[in-house]
Amino acid sequence: MSHMSATSDTTHPTVDLERAETAVRELLQALGQDTARDGILDTPARVARMWAELLQGYQEDPASHLTRTFEIEHDEMVLVRDINFTSMCEHHLLPFTGVVHIAYLPGTTGKFTGLSKLARLVEGYARRLQVQETLTSQIADAMNSMLEPVGVLVVVEAEHMCMSIRGVRTPGARTITTAVRGIYRTDSTARAEVMSFIRDQK
């Protein structure tokens, strides 16, 4: 599977709030709602603003958060666990929420970035219309491209509202996806070490 380069994300679509508000009003009317009643009179405008906020990840290149790097005397694994996120499923426009675990092995040639930058990276890609598999790969590809580590391993665990409140209606079911780059793809021992750190702290 090919992935868009993490450093070439230049998508910055314009948000037309007025058009979005009109579309929400039309949807409510199509669903049999009286959009003139007090309870939902201002709902179209509120929903339009909400969607602009939820999709603000399109207004930036999330990988740019990794451009600020530094050198330290440490060539072993770095693992950040339980980065919370909320994203929107592009199939049903319902949220999925969960945590991201990011491990990378800088080795002697890779770069380090601030720990908060990893949370900003996750937030940038999560604030888009997504599927979990793509979100996982985008985070790993950005790490791999920008920091040039020996290895990267990303694990995403999430609950999807499109499974919890509709369709099969299985609240609590969690989906786990992984993206593996570099040594973690070829060295099963190194990969198992990362996974054990993630599991053992649960």
Side-chain angles (χ1 to χ4, degrees):
M1 179 183 297
S2 63
H3 302 290
M4 181 174 62
S5 170
T7 58
S8 63
D9 186 350
T10 57
T11 303
H12 304 294
T14 301
V15 176
D16 187 337
L17 287 175
E18 184 177 347
R19 186 177 179 185
E21 181 179 342
T22 299
V24 174
R25 183 176 294 105
E26 175 65 24
L27 175 61
L28 288 170
Q29 292 171 350
L31 294 173
Q33 298 299 308
D34 176 7
T35 53
R37 69 178 174 87
D38 285 346
I40 58 174
L41 181 63
D42 296 323
T43 295
R46 285 193 294 262
V47 172
R49 291 193 301 269
M50 178 197 72
W51 275 104
E53 178 182 348
L54 291 175
L55 301 184
Q56 64 187 8
Y58 287 111
Q59 306 306 315
E60 65 172 340
D61 176 3
S64 67
H65 293 295
L66 304 181
T67 56
R68 186 171 182 178
T69 61
F70 54 90
E71 296 182 6
I72 60 176
E73 293 184 6
H74 181 81
D75 60 3
E76 301 296 327
M77 178 186 69
V78 176
L79 169 64
V80 180
R81 294 178 59 255
D82 298 323
I83 301 172
N84 290 285
F85 78 93
T86 297
S87 191
M88 301 302 293
C89 171
E90 65 183 25
H91 295 157
H92 296 98
L93 302 185
L94 286 171
F96 62 100
T97 62
V99 294
V100 178
H101 315 296
I102 301 175
Y104 68 104
L105 183 64
T108 57
T109 58
K111 307 179 187 73
F112 287 87
T113 190
L115 301 181
S116 66
K117 304 303 183 186
L118 301 185
R120 293 184 184 277
L121 173 71
V122 171
E123 177 80 356
Y125 283 121
R127 291 280 178 168
R128 300 178 172 201
L129 293 176
Q130 281 286 14
V131 293
Q132 185 173 330
E133 296 86 348
T134 300
L135 173 64
T136 311
S137 292
Q138 287 175 331
I139 295 168
D141 287 341
M143 293 287 296
N144 201 46
S145 174
M146 301 299 288
L147 301 183
E148 301 177 326
V150 175
V152 175
L153 195 155
V154 177
V155 179
V156 179
E157 305 177 48
E159 180 177 356
H160 294 249
M161 291 300 101
C162 55
M163 284 185 63
S164 298
I165 65 174
R166 59 160 299 280
V168 293
R169 298 182 186 177
T170 55
R174 295 178 70 81
T175 299
I176 299 176
T177 51
T178 63
V180 185
R181 306 289 183 265
I183 193 173
Y184 292 131
R185 182 184 291 274
T186 58
D187 188 331
S188 60
T189 300
R191 185 169 63 249
E193 178 187 20
V194 176
M195 298 304 294
S196 70
F197 274 109
I198 293 174
R199 288 194 299 264
D200 290 349
Q201 299 302 315
K202 294 294 185 182

